[in-house]
Amino acid sequence: MPTAAAAPVKTTCPYCGVGCGVAATPDGQGGALIAGDTSHPANHGKLCVKGASLGETLSLEGRLLHPMIHGQRASWNQAAGFVANGLRRVIDRHGPDAVAFYLSGQLLTEDYYVANKFAKGFLGVRHVDTNSRLCMASSVAGHRRAFGSDTVPNTYEDLDEADLIVLVGSNAAWCHPVLFQRMQAARERRGTKIVNIDPRRTATSEGADLQLSIRPGMDSVLFSWLLSEIAARGAVDEAFVANHTEGLAEALERARAIAPDIVTAATKTGLSQEDIAAFVDLFIDRQRVVTCYSQGVNQSAQGTEKVGAILNCHLATGRIGRPGCGPLSLTGQPNAMGGREVGGLANMLAAHMNYTPAEIDRVRRFWNAPRMAEAEGLKAVQMFEAIERGEIKALWVMHTNPAVTLPRADAMRAALRKLDLFVVSEAVTRTDTTAAGAHVLLPAAAWGEKDGIVTNSERRISRQRAFLAMPGEARPDWEHVQLVAQRMGFGEAFAYPDAASIFREHAALSAFENEGARSFDIGAMAGLDAVAYDTLQPVHWPWRAGEAPRPRLFAEGGFTTPGGRARLVAIAEPELAEAVSDEYPLLLNTGRMRDQWHSMTRTGKARTLARHAAEPTLSLHPEDASRLGIAAGGYARIASRHGEATLRAVTDEGTPRGAAFAPFHWNDATSGLARVDAMTQPHTDRFSGQPELKATPVRVTPIAMACEGLMLSRRPIEMPSWLAHSRLTVPGGEAVLFASPHAPQKVHALLLNLLGSEHRRAALSDPAAEAFRLAVFEEDRLSMALFTARERSAAMFDWLIDAFGRDSLDTAEQRAVLAGRPPAGGADLGPLICACFGVRRGVITEAIRAGAADVEAVGAAVKAGSNCGSCRPEIRRVINDERHKPAHTAAA
Amino acid sequence: MAARRRERLLVIGHGMAAARLVDALDRLDPGAFAVTIVGAEPVPAYNRVLLSALLAGEASHDDIALRDVAWHEARGMSLIMGDPVVAVDASHRTARLASGLAIGFDRCVFATGSEPVRLPLPGMDLPGVMTFRDLADVAAMERAAAEGQRVAVIGGGLLGIEAAHGLARRGAKVTLVHVMDRLMERQLDAGAARVLKRELERKGVAVALGRQSIAVTGTDRATGLAFADGGSLSADVVVAAVGIRPNAALAKDAGLAVARGILIDDAMQASLPGFHAIGECAEHRGVAYGLVEPAYAQADALARRLCGGEGRFEGLVLATNLKVSGVPVFSAGAIEGDADAEIVTLDDRAGGVYRKLVIKAGKLIGCVLVGEAEDSLWYLDLIRRAVDIGPVRGELVHGRAYCGALETPAPEAAAALQVAA
């Protein structure tokens, strides 16, 4: 075990794809001090608030610590045997196409590699996909189509050197904060211009020189017009195009069809001609241009086309792979890139190899594989639809929460119950996915405990290092696979003693019969020994054996298409998968909040992060809210053809008219009625399979909530699923905010039943005002509270949460809990002595110290005892007490 | 020039009301009247409120003393003790005392107080049965309730509770027997009554609710109680504290109009000119008060009037204050309320606090406080002045400190709120 005196362990952040270096100093008690790693080139020591709060997320609260079979604790031996038998049975009866693996961009490269190898090489299972399908797939498809491989040409350093940074579909200020700050630094330092293309005006817009609030789905119109203007103004890099590309003419022709003139471009995009012209001028005039794009581009039924439209402009101008020039996809997950390198996707085989006969054969030989998958598998959405149809009967989910994040999430969650074998490798016990009928739960090592490799958005490979012991029986995900593989007779092929041995094999495969055909080649690391692996410094791929790593690619061509030329593509006419209608007139956009990440299994633990957004909200333009009869702070029901949610409404001028925005983080483990992806539609991109998560037609109606409230408890309390609520971590425990259309009295009574406690209960009941409050005290500590009223009071909740976080409360503070306000009126003057005049002991003591020597004198001074006289004996005792006190009181 | 002959003022009774009256007269216009005070007890007036504290050993005789004999002598007041008035001749303006002494007067104030209600039960006159009313009772109880004696106190009202508590403090094994299903049912709601019961039990008083006594058992002396439900209770001493009634017989015999008490108007004027009544013997607007606060208010008002000023008494919302060894219990106004009333409760019984407010039409009309009664007078003032509590309605139950918006001066004419003599 590390001790308090341990040196900082250099690792990487487990959140977004920026891949910041983190220095973690364990405190020897299961926690750690977190700081940015100043030596890591991705962040140079900076961290966003999510990363900086990692220390608050390390508790074992909620962790899955033992294997479980059908809800009962089991040994690893039993659990691995159960999974092995289940897989064997399904494959024997239904063949390998009845089995699927659903992986995650949060797995380490080694985990990914072992799972991919096991499924595709030893079970013959081709349905291996990943949550990166929901995140990055359109960029992958766009890269492969244009470059011949999934290769990001540029690095973060290009952000430092760009003249213009174009952000497309990216709220980088919230989702990639460290990179956004890097862009802002360049803006300050060298006058880099920033253009933000996003239907919404976001925090990112505040740091942009030009905000283009484009109509949803119309990004490609803008880039088509840009491409035609590049051509028209002679900005094409003729030499680069001639030597290293193909398809410009067709691409241009299609671009001109999509945006024949600026009027059409303006009409289609909803932008002003002036703004469009300003953008085009900037792009053409400024030589160094980096275009960063993220989920607004990817999560679209035309995401690959959007990527193509962007890449077309960079290829036509030759602005690629050169300092300050290139397209830069900003990844959402810490190791989405690592998964892509491994090939843990349905439409890749392994190590940037595809399902061609030669490649299948090559991988078979490398793995010495008995049963190779022979064709591309189903991509995430289609994979779960096959589960829904009963075609896929066994599923192993690793490190992700598809019951929350898939489109049509309620239906997908329900489909999971149809599985004959449902295995989840997880770090936490309770997620919507584990609660969706998982048969086997396998306890996974979490961040801080596991050891391996991740690759960030700029192809930089970094070590994620352990600094905590693995708790309970938790093991790295690769070991989960290894244990099952051993029981299925594949022990020899999975006899990895450690993560380093896996990584060496992965590196060797990347170089195996490569000869420059595949850009992903890290053969230089195939021979890393244990020390070299442990001390590996962040490095870009490709890193071929005997060569230096190559941070930038494609400036001089070298594309991995068959002809070695990049392909400009003729893209399809932009349109949304599903248009709004009278029935569903608003377009729902989903995305992230600044201080949460994914389904909150980790960020949800951090009280610092709960401060920014205590609950999920629906953002509406004020005019839409007003037209719909929804007050800011009121509640709204959002419904699509697929599902619904109930959220608090906020008005936001930055949300376009006709649109609504809701974060996808909250789910049934952290809230109630707030599963936003229950509503999203399943239309997917025909190339990438990525679903259109940001444009689902919905109907929004006001909900009159009769009651709102707050519950505080030390331990999570199961909340009724019919109740709109959200959990947040607060100092000392958990808070639940709730609202209901039912009367406060009824809701309060129902919730009271959930709070079992033997401790002192104090209650306020005011039926006429519909205010009901309960506080439970253990000794002098507030251990539970339930406040239910017609509407919430933020100030009241602040005080309660503050009181809840304290180790002890004095009497006045305990009274103040039910008052919902800090104690009023200054110092506690002690017990009341004179009831007639309301004189407290402290006032009498003061009078005595000021010279009142007897009861009469006290009465003359402060009236106490001068009426009914009942308190005169007590006053006399106070006088005696004061007399017998040490002299220091008299000295005053 | 001959000095104006001073009016002769006879005060019948020397309890707290009488003492308050002569004190006020002395303060307002010293020597204006030739005052004669006639008391039945052999000692000067004392603080009857503190009898329970005296019984409990929490107060001394000094603590309960009011004005002594010397004080009266120094002011030329005639103080006759232990010789009660037995007849008043209204037409001749004379009063006859038990000793035969006759006293003439120009003006007469009845301050005869009240007497304990004696239950009409078999055995009530057995030795070992006593009441709780005056110093003599306290002395008798002290003698009877020596360490370990079993005492049955009948009556779960204020008086009974105080007697039971005082006796328990003296070491007696006390059972408090009450016919109703909760203590102080006229002053406390069920919640407060439960807190009080628990506090009493914590102090060693057994509480038997819903027990109707039908007889004191025993032949030579009391041996216990028999109940209507067939049960019984063994006891060495029985204390009857089931209530009080105005001492109005003397006034009635003198020809004054009497209902429950001596009828008076807002000027404390009885039905015949020159006759007044104050305190528990009086009945004002249909109410015979049993508390010291209205008695003091009546005494103060009468004193001002006698000294030529304005003095009126227009009735008081009743408030009760009880303290059982550190646990104050306060009740004022309506404690249940009707269908239109809004009830707010704050219940932290385990923490020793219970509060109930009764609100109607934006006004506080009643309250019950247990445990923390610092704000009792403030609440009482809100009730009496019918203050619009709208702005602080939601905060009201948390006390004055939370209601800064409601400007309410501390009631200057604050008054004793405990049981009257």
Side-chain angles (χ1 to χ4, degrees):
Chain A
M1 270 296 286
T3 65
V9 174
K10 289 185 176 181
T11 183
T12 54
C13 178
Y15 297 131
C16 78
V18 176
C20 295
V22 170
T25 309
D27 62 10
Q29 288 154 32
L33 194 70
I34 299 297
D37 175 2
T38 51
S39 69
H40 199 289
N43 60 317
H44 299 298
K46 294 190 173 61
L47 289 178
C48 72
V49 65
K50 289 189 287 283
S53 303
L54 275 165
E56 295 175 27
T57 69
L58 300 174
S59 82
L60 296 183
E61 181 77 38
R63 282 291 298 276
L64 177 65
L65 298 175
H66 306 284
M68 308 281 280
I69 300 175
H70 292 306
Q72 302 296 313
R73 184 173 163 179
S75 69
W76 265 110
N77 206 18
Q78 292 167 323
F82 187 98
V83 176
N85 290 338
L87 288 172
R88 195 179 289 122
R89 195 164 48 244
V90 170
I91 292 170
D92 286 351
R93 279 190 202 157
H94 307 285
D97 278 359
V99 176
F101 283 73
Y102 190 59
L103 310 177
S104 162
Q106 293 169 264
L107 289 170
L108 303 184
T109 297
E110 292 83 352
D111 301 319
Y112 244 123
Y113 179 83
V114 173
N116 193 56
K117 175 181 175 182
F118 176 57
K120 290 177 181 168
F122 291 75
L123 300 181
V125 167
R126 61 195 178 98
H127 303 316
V128 177
D129 213 39
T130 160
N131 65 6
S132 296
R133 185 68 58 197
L134 310 177
C135 173
M136 289 309 305
S138 297
S139 284
V140 173
H143 291 153
R144 291 172 74 188
R145 192 163 59 157
F147 308 146
S149 66
D150 174 25
T151 305
V152 172
N154 286 76
T155 76
Y156 298 161
E157 278 163 30
D158 296 314
L159 297 171
D160 305 333
E161 300 174 34
D163 300 325
L164 172 67
I165 296 170
V166 182
L167 288 158
V168 194
S170 166
N171 185 7
W174 279 13
C175 302
H176 301 96
V178 169
L179 282 191
F180 186 68
Q181 291 309 316
R182 197 162 173 168
M183 298 174 204
Q184 293 299 305
R187 192 169 171 233
E188 290 284 314
R189 197 182 63 249
R190 62 193 305 284
T192 303
K193 293 287 183 190
I194 296 181
V195 176
N196 187 45
I197 303 170
D198 189 329
R200 290 197 301 152
R201 177 174 278 279
T202 65
T204 301
S205 313
E206 305 306 316
D209 299 283
L210 178 62
Q211 163 71 21
L212 299 179
S213 296
I214 196 164
R215 279 180 55 211
M218 294 300 120
D219 314 66
S220 297
V221 176
L222 185 62
F223 283 92
S224 291
W225 173 250
L226 175 61
L227 183 64
S228 64
E229 283 292 283
I230 286 168
R233 297 198 207 171
V236 170
D237 182 334
E238 300 291 355
F240 184 84
V241 166
N243 294 330
H244 303 303
T245 75
E246 61 190 28
L248 174 60
E250 296 84 348
L252 200 50
E253 185 186 355
R254 181 65 58 80
R256 286 177 177 143
I258 291 168
D261 51 57
I262 193 166
V263 176
T264 308
T267 305
K268 286 184 174 180
T269 58
L271 300 170
S272 72
Q273 293 181 30
E274 293 72 24
D275 281 352
I276 293 174
F279 166 60
V280 169
D281 288 350
L282 278 170
F283 195 99
I284 289 174
D285 294 347
R286 300 217 157 202
Q287 288 305 306
R288 294 181 163 202
V289 180
V290 175
T291 303
C292 299
Y293 50 96
S294 195
Q295 309 314 357
V297 167
N298 291 327
Q299 289 179 337
S300 161
Q302 291 184 320
T304 306
E305 302 287 53
K306 291 186 195 176
V307 172
I310 293 167
L311 299 185
N312 282 349
C313 294
H314 278 274
L315 289 170
T317 52
R319 291 169 178 170
I320 187 164
R322 292 196 277 119
C325 285
L328 183 59
S329 149
L330 298 181
T331 311
Q333 301 198 83
N335 197 32
M337 182 80 86
R340 290 144 61 185
E341 294 158 12
V342 163
L345 294 158
N347 49 340
M348 295 175 86
L349 175 56
H352 278 212
M353 285 176 275
N354 303 315
Y355 280 101
T356 62
E359 286 168 310
I360 294 169
D361 181 62
R362 184 184 303 133
V363 174
R364 184 203 316 275
R365 286 185 283 110
F366 183 83
W367 281 343
N368 192 20
R371 189 169 189 177
M372 285 297 292
E374 303 280 353
E376 290 190 7
L378 293 173
K379 302 183 182 98
V381 174
Q382 290 77 30
M383 176 194 283
F384 283 86
E385 286 170 349
I387 293 170
E388 194 177 25
R389 291 191 303 271
E391 293 165 13
I392 290 175
K393 299 180 184 302
L395 174 70
W396 190 340
V397 173
M398 301 181 83
H399 236 303
T400 183
N401 204 350
V404 174
T405 51
L406 285 168
R408 227 159 48 89
D410 281 357
M412 293 295 105
R413 179 170 66 173
L416 294 171
R417 301 215 173 260
K418 298 184 176 179
L419 289 163
D420 293 342
L421 177 68
F422 180 14
V423 183
V424 181
S425 291
E426 246 305 339
V428 300
T429 303
R430 169 72 203 274
T431 71
D432 287 10
T433 299
T434 63
H439 305 135
V440 184
L441 301 183
L442 302 176
W447 180 81
E449 299 153 9
K450 52 186 188 174
D451 226 352
I453 294 283
V454 294
T455 308
N456 71 2
S457 291
E458 55 166 352
R459 280 181 288 110
R460 195 186 293 273
I461 289 171
S462 295
R463 283 280 278 111
Q464 199 176 91
R465 294 182 177 91
F467 55 90
L468 298 171
M470 277 182 272
E473 296 182 77
R475 295 183 180 216
D477 295 85
W478 63 263
E479 283 193 40
H480 300 192
V481 178
Q482 181 181 51
L483 287 168
V484 173
Q486 283 167 350
R487 269 158 195 76
M488 295 185 79
F490 309 128
E492 200 180 333
F494 293 87
Y496 304 111
D498 52 22
S501 61
I502 301 168
F503 185 71
R504 282 193 293 271
E505 183 178 311
H506 167 60
L509 176 58
S510 77
F512 185 59
E513 298 175 4
N514 190 324
E515 320 295 342
R518 311 193 296 274
S519 60
F520 179 68
D521 183 342
I522 53 170
M525 289 187 276
L528 287 184
D529 62 16
V531 172
Y533 179 79
D534 278 344
T535 57
L536 181 69
Q537 296 303 303
V539 61
H540 287 285
W541 65 257
W543 189 12
R544 298 192 170 104
E547 295 180 14
R550 295 180 57 196
R552 293 191 180 93
L553 297 167
F554 307 144
E556 307 301 329
F559 298 99
T560 50
T561 52
R565 288 175 175 271
R567 289 181 289 240
L568 284 86
V569 292
I571 62 164
E573 175 76 34
E575 61 177 354
L576 291 177
E578 195 174 332
V580 294
S581 62
D582 287 347
E583 194 179 359
Y584 299 105
L586 293 178
L587 214 46
L588 176 68
N589 184 359
T590 65
R592 289 178 175 173
M593 298 297 284
R594 191 190 74 189
D595 290 358
Q596 295 296 345
W597 200 74
H598 279 198
S599 60
M600 302 168 72
T601 48
R602 178 173 292 281
T603 48
K605 280 185 170 184
R607 55 180 191 258
T608 301
L609 302 180
R611 291 193 194 124
H612 178 245
E615 59 189 335
T617 51
L618 181 76
S619 298
L620 293 168
H621 190 276
E623 286 175 15
D624 284 335
S626 165
R627 187 171 49 76
L628 293 164
I630 295 168
Y635 278 80
R637 176 174 173 271
I638 313 99
S640 76
R641 290 199 291 118
H642 310 289
E644 64 177 72
T646 299
L647 299 175
R648 180 184 288 276
V650 294
T651 56
D652 169 25
E653 299 272 0
T655 303
R657 290 172 186 80
F661 176 84
F664 74 96
H665 305 295
W666 279 269
N667 53 75
D668 278 355
T670 54
S671 61
L673 309 183
R675 287 166 45 86
V676 164
D677 276 317
M679 295 176 285
T680 49
Q681 63 190 352
H683 298 290
T684 56
D685 183 288
R686 67 192 174 102
F687 303 104
S688 71
Q690 185 152 1
E692 181 146 287
L693 291 170
K694 287 180 167 287
T696 302
V698 293
R699 178 175 61 238
V700 176
T701 47
I703 289 190
M705 289 297 185
C707 122
E708 293 187 57
L710 172 75
M711 183 187 278
L712 289 166
S713 63
R714 297 278 165 224
R715 297 259 170 268
I717 287 173
E718 189 87 10
M719 298 297 284
S721 58
W722 49 264
L723 186 69
H725 67 271
S726 65
R727 297 172 189 272
L728 64 153
T729 299
V730 296
E734 186 177 271
V736 181
L737 297 164
F738 59 87
S740 169
H742 298 294
Q745 188 156 18
K746 182 179 173 188
V747 173
H748 193 77
L750 284 166
L751 295 180
L752 272 183
N753 291 332
L754 304 176
L755 297 172
S757 174
E758 300 301 309
H759 299 283
R760 179 183 135 212
R761 284 175 166 228
L764 171 95
S765 162
D766 187 349
E770 297 195 291
F772 302 91
R773 301 174 188 171
L774 172 84
V776 179
F777 295 95
E778 284 180 42
E779 304 295 327
D780 291 329
R781 189 173 185 223
L782 177 63
S783 66
M784 275 183 191
L786 176 63
F787 275 47
T788 314
R790 282 180 201 141
E791 53 192 33
R792 73 171 64 171
S793 151
M796 185 178 286
F797 289 0
D798 285 350
W799 155 241
L800 281 173
I801 288 168
D802 176 62
F804 185 71
R806 295 207 237 153
D807 289 336
S808 85
L809 301 173
D810 66 26
T811 306
E813 288 166 338
Q814 289 177 30
R815 297 279 166 268
V817 167
L818 281 189
R821 276 168 51 180
D828 185 6
L829 293 171
L832 187 77
I833 303 287
C834 173
C836 293
F837 290 110
V839 186
R840 290 172 183 267
R841 184 184 173 113
V843 174
I844 292 167
T845 310
E846 283 306 305
I848 295 165
R849 288 176 189 168
D854 57 22
V855 176
E856 297 302 327
V858 168
V862 295
K863 291 191 175 174
S866 62
N867 191 52
C868 82
S870 302
C871 59
R872 291 165 74 96
E874 285 178 74
I875 296 171
R876 196 163 293 136
R877 277 196 288 277
V878 176
I879 293 169
N880 282 334
D881 290 349
E882 284 299 306
R883 256 184 218 140
H884 293 114
K885 270 193 179 170
H888 69 83
T889 54
Chain B
M1 198 170 104
R4 182 174 67 89
R5 188 180 75 89
R6 291 190 302 168
E7 195 172 87
R8 293 170 300 162
L9 175 67
L10 174 64
V11 179
I12 304 176
H14 198 203
M16 294 181 81
R20 179 77 166 207
L21 175 68
V22 297
D23 216 67
L25 289 173
D26 178 60
R27 203 171 57 245
L28 293 170
D29 194 355
F33 293 93
V35 176
T36 300
I37 310 157
V38 182
E41 289 188 73
V43 292
Y46 52 87
N47 189 335
R48 207 180 295 278
V49 174
L50 287 182
L51 281 181
S52 57
L54 186 67
L55 176 64
E58 292 166 349
S60 67
H61 284 271
D62 281 351
D63 287 328
I64 74 165
L66 296 172
R67 303 300 188 190
D68 60 12
V69 174
W71 184 89
H72 293 89
E73 281 176 354
R75 284 156 183 77
M77 297 178 183
S78 241
L79 176 58
I80 298 168
M81 299 176 290
D83 190 2
V85 174
V86 293
V88 174
D89 181 340
S91 53
H92 294 92
R93 310 247 156 179
T94 56
R96 188 161 54 79
L97 277 52
S99 62
L101 190 64
I103 296 173
F105 57 86
D106 301 310
R107 187 176 292 275
C108 173
V109 178
F110 281 86
T112 46
S114 58
E115 61 181 3
V117 171
R118 290 185 76 89
L119 290 170
L121 302 181
M124 278 303 287
D125 47 5
L126 285 170
V129 179
M130 54 193 69
T131 56
F132 178 39
R133 183 63 192 158
D134 57 25
L135 271 175
D137 292 335
V138 170
M141 287 163 71
E142 281 177 4
R143 282 193 302 275
E147 190 75 34
Q149 290 285 89
R150 296 164 306 166
V151 181
V153 176
I154 309 174
L158 204 51
L159 215 54
I161 290 167
E162 294 201 323
H165 176 240
L167 287 162
R169 291 273 299 187
R170 291 225 158 241
K173 294 163 107 170
V174 182
T175 302
L176 179 62
V177 177
H178 193 41
V179 67
M180 306 301 285
D181 62 359
R182 68 175 197 246
L183 298 171
M184 291 180 70
E185 70 280 357
R186 278 183 296 168
Q187 291 91 9
L188 300 185
D189 68 327
R194 274 198 295 275
V195 181
L196 179 58
K197 175 171 181 282
R198 210 192 54 202
E199 287 301 321
L200 280 171
E201 287 168 343
R202 195 177 281 174
K203 306 295 178 196
V205 176
V207 179
L209 297 176
R211 309 297 303 261
Q212 185 184 357
S213 304
I214 54 167
V216 176
T217 54
T219 48
D220 299 333
R221 61 172 291 118
T223 58
L225 292 174
F227 300 123
D229 60 12
S232 63
L233 176 71
S234 297
D236 305 309
V237 176
V238 174
V239 176
V242 294
I244 54 171
R245 64 168 153 254
N247 255 330
L250 186 66
K252 189 175 185 181
D253 292 345
L256 297 183
V258 168
R260 277 195 72 219
I262 304 162
L263 296 175
I264 58 168
D265 63 12
D266 288 358
M268 278 61 66
Q269 178 67 51
S271 60
L272 292 175
F275 286 87
H276 307 275
I278 56 174
E280 294 177 358
C281 66
E283 179 176 334
H284 172 261
R285 298 191 190 177
V287 179
Y289 292 96
L291 300 170
V292 74
E293 186 195 10
Y296 275 9
Q298 290 169 353
D300 289 345
L302 179 59
R304 282 197 298 278
R305 188 162 276 274
L306 293 180
C307 293
E310 280 292 309
R312 291 178 68 78
F313 176 78
E314 297 176 333
L316 272 182
V317 172
L318 278 181
T320 308
N321 201 348
L322 170 74
K323 196 169 181 180
V324 178
S325 245
V327 179
V329 176
F330 175 83
S331 153
I335 57 158
E336 298 293 355
D338 55 24
D340 297 333
E342 300 168 1
I343 308 292
V344 180
T345 56
L346 192 158
D347 186 349
D348 183 8
R349 279 178 233 165
V353 175
Y354 176 86
R355 285 184 176 185
K356 173 179 180 175
L357 303 185
V358 183
I359 294 165
K360 192 169 177 179
K363 308 221 167 34
L364 186 66
I365 63 167
C367 72
V368 178
L369 311 178
V370 179
E372 289 179 348
E374 285 84 349
D375 293 323
S376 53
L377 290 179
W378 179 71
Y379 285 121
L380 182 60
D381 183 55
L382 296 180
I383 296 169
R384 288 185 175 159
R385 294 198 295 120
V387 174
D388 173 14
I389 52 110
V392 296
R393 189 198 167 291
E395 318 280 353
L396 201 62
V397 76
H398 304 294
R400 185 179 190 181
Y402 287 89
C403 300
L406 204 59
E407 198 46 53
T408 47
E412 197 47 43
L417 298 171
Q418 303 204 350
V419 261

